[in-house]
Amino acid sequence: MNPIHKITGKLANTSRKTRIVGAGALALALCAFGAVATAPVVQDDSDVQVVSVAENLALPNLSEQIAALQQDEQQFIHEERVRSGDSIGTMLSRLGVNDAQAQNFIRSDKLARRILSLKNGKRLQAETDENGQLLSLRATLTDKNSAPTTLTIARHGDGFKASEAPAKLERRVEMRSREIVNSSLYAATDANVDGGSIPDSVVGEIVKMFSTNIDFRGDLKRGDRFNVVYETFWLDGELVKTGRILAGEFINRGTSYQAVWFEDPVTKQGGYYSLDGKSLKKAFLKSPLEFSRVSSGFANRVHPISGQWKAHKGIDYAAPTGTPIRAAGDGVVDFAGVSNGYGNMVVLKHWSNYSTAYAHMSRINGLRKGAKVSQGQVIGFVGSTGWSTGAHLHYEFRVANVARDPSGLKDLMAAPLSKGELARFRMAAAEMNHRFSLLTPGGNAMAAR
């Protein structure tokens, strides 16, 4: 029998009683009391009609609900870290996976097998059914030479499929401040004073950033200090890689040196600048070759082919054939091809009226006129084409198309920011200057954002 739900209520009687008071009586009351007061009239419950309503309610069938839940496949997620001496069998066992087919696939598939290269401490996440059959397996692969990727091994029908996709990383901005206490920069960066040490890669960039002003071997003094703001990238709460230094400040012997990274959102050009907007990068490299020797300088000499005494309007760098040649500065390709006695040659136009020329190349690195190049980019390779007696690079530095001795312009700075770039830079610099103030002693220091 279905249960009966009883609803009880009170319905007001439609009959209405009205009391009529005579005018004389009202006047008498006013004379006697001088005022009239009214009060609510309490309704008599005997005037309310009571009605009972009965309704049948159907209860849910619990046995059917339990049966439906039992028919659904249960899925479980397990997470573990790689341990020393792990095999694919021991890793899957700790993850609750009891699936011989999955093990065989991981051992035989080229992409899936990369999961065996995970280092100690790296995370693995597995999804299984109630019987331990593998549904999916995920891990993040990190390589110094490439961006982190997520490797996924997932069940597809009667088999498995491995896939790889860029990992979605969380970007953080770290802020650190250190004081030199024993004249050692690296000892200061290892100090765990604000929740973490500073990565060696960041320390190396600090040295590069300020090495034109500070001799880190002999100039450091106890009490010197530095502040640094840099990027880190995380995945599932684990540090994956360290990014770019966004700003740095070094106080050496009472003098403050500051640098801010600025990439213009319009021109997409980036570099480090002082807080007043001056580039900290030299306009040109000291040499277009990393490892070489000067075989002939910028001076008069006896030409090796003609035998005549004449001016040598460039610098010759002796190096083996195939040695990479780097662009001395940012610029645009003005010429790339064969030029008589110069052989294979590239000419780059830089800012203002500066240009550089690279001759006798064995091969030009796919450049065409009008292409943009950045400082340090490989533009070709050392050779002995044209009027050359041996493998070397003939390098010319020109001002208004007139060859000049580049050693006399070694302190030339990079192109200054335009008015529009400078305005955008000042906004970025103001934020970083504020961060520096938070990191200084007595400031409201903040370890990370």
Side-chain angles (χ1 to χ4, degrees):
M1 178 182 294
N2 293 326
I4 298 177
H5 180 65
K6 185 175 182 181
I7 302 174
T8 303
K10 294 182 179 181
L11 304 178
N13 197 325
T14 55
S15 62
R16 186 176 181 181
K17 298 178 181 179
T18 305
R19 179 174 295 177
I20 302 175
V21 181
L26 180 59
L28 181 61
L30 289 173
C31 293
F33 301 103
V36 176
T38 60
V41 178
V42 178
Q43 190 173 12
D44 190 352
D45 285 346
S46 61
D47 294 336
V48 179
Q49 182 180 359
V50 178
V51 178
S52 297
V53 178
E55 182 179 355
N56 294 330
L57 300 177
L59 289 176
N61 191 322
L62 296 181
S63 61
E64 291 180 358
Q65 292 186 23
I66 294 173
L69 289 173
Q70 290 177 340
Q71 290 178 358
D72 291 339
E73 293 185 358
Q74 300 299 306
Q75 297 177 357
F76 304 89
I77 295 178
H78 312 261
E79 188 173 281
E80 282 286 341
R81 291 183 182 271
V82 178
R83 300 177 185 174
S84 178
D86 262 342
S87 65
I88 185 60
T90 57
M91 285 192 294
L92 293 181
S93 177
R94 289 204 313 278
L95 287 165
V97 178
N98 182 20
D99 193 330
Q101 183 185 9
Q103 287 195 39
N104 293 333
F105 174 79
I106 294 173
R107 290 192 180 101
S108 60
D109 185 83
K110 181 179 179 181
L111 180 57
R113 199 162 55 241
R114 293 189 63 192
I115 210 164
L116 300 176
S117 65
L118 291 174
K119 296 180 180 180
N120 293 345
K122 293 298 182 181
R123 293 185 180 184
L124 281 168
Q125 187 181 84
E127 183 181 6
T128 67
D129 63 15
E130 66 272 16
N131 298 318
Q133 297 293 294
L134 182 66
L135 301 178
S136 68
L137 181 66
R138 291 182 178 84
T140 301
L141 304 178
T142 55
D143 188 334
K144 291 182 179 180
N145 300 321
S146 58
T149 58
T150 298
L151 174 62
T152 302
I153 300 169
R155 182 177 290 277
H156 279 262
D158 296 331
F160 291 92
K161 183 178 180 181
S163 59
E164 194 174 11
K168 296 180 180 179
L169 303 180
E170 175 196 358
R171 177 181 178 268
R172 299 182 187 177
V173 177
E174 306 282 342
M175 297 169 58
R176 297 282 183 261
S177 180
R178 292 290 189 273
E179 181 176 343
I180 307 299
V181 294
N182 58 1
S183 301
S184 171
L185 177 63
Y186 281 89
T189 59
D190 288 338
N192 190 6
V193 296
D194 55 6
S197 60
I198 301 176
D200 287 347
S201 59
V202 173
V203 180
E205 289 301 314
I206 292 173
V207 173
K208 290 181 182 178
M209 187 180 296
F210 297 109
S211 59
T212 55
N213 301 110
I214 303 171
D215 179 1
F216 284 90
R217 293 184 179 181
D219 283 350
L220 294 187
K221 181 182 177 182
R222 184 174 182 176
D224 288 353
R225 63 179 302 106
F226 66 90
N227 305 314
V228 62
V229 181
Y230 60 95
E231 298 172 313
T232 54
F233 294 89
W234 300 72
L235 182 67
D236 297 330
E238 182 179 353
L239 177 64
V240 175
K241 66 176 184 177
T242 301
R244 189 194 309 278
I245 291 182
L246 302 177
E249 179 181 42
F250 210 107
I251 298 92
N252 174 237
R253 298 176 181 265
T255 302
S256 176
Y257 304 96
Q258 297 167 323
V260 174
W261 171 262
F262 173 67
E263 183 172 325
D264 189 88
V266 177
T267 64
K268 303 301 181 183
Q269 297 294 318
Y272 287 103
Y273 297 83
S274 59
L275 289 180
D276 58 0
K278 293 180 180 178
S279 175
L280 300 182
K281 183 178 73 173
K282 301 298 183 183
F284 300 98
L285 299 176
K286 291 183 178 180
S287 170
L289 305 180
E290 287 192 14
F291 305 101
S292 64
R293 64 179 177 85
V294 175
S295 56
S296 182
F298 191 91
N300 291 332
R301 66 168 185 175
V302 176
H303 195 275
I305 294 180
S306 67
Q308 296 179 354
W309 181 265
K310 60 183 302 184
H312 184 231
K313 297 182 179 180
I315 295 179
D316 289 348
Y317 294 95
T321 298
T323 301
I325 301 170
R326 305 173 298 168
D330 299 334
V332 177
V333 177
D334 189 47
F335 176 84
V338 180
S339 178
N340 298 323
Y342 286 109
N344 292 330
M345 182 181 185
V346 170
V347 178
L348 302 180
K349 290 187 67 175
H350 307 284
W351 65 283
S352 187
N353 57 353
Y354 302 108
S355 62
T356 52
Y358 313 78
H360 305 312
M361 293 181 174
S362 61
R363 178 165 60 90
I364 297 172
N365 196 22
L367 298 180
R368 293 185 178 181
K369 184 173 182 177
K372 291 184 177 180
V373 297
S374 57
Q375 188 179 75
Q377 178 180 333
V378 176
I379 59 174
F381 303 89
V382 169
S384 186
T385 57
W387 299 345
S388 172
T389 58
H392 72 285
L393 168 68
H394 175 79
Y395 171 65
E396 292 185 11
F397 185 90
R398 301 170 178 174
V399 180
N401 291 324
V402 177
R404 299 277 298 275
D405 185 356
S407 63
L409 301 167
K410 60 182 178 180
D411 293 329
L412 187 65
M413 304 306 292
L417 296 172
S418 66
K419 289 184 178 180
E421 292 171 333
L422 186 58
R424 292 186 286 271
F425 166 79
R426 283 173 176 161
M427 296 177 63
E431 178 190 352
M432 292 304 166
N433 198 30
H434 174 64
R435 290 179 181 270
F436 290 153
S437 67
L438 294 177
L439 290 169
T440 54
N444 185 17
M446 179 172 58
R449 183 194 70 185

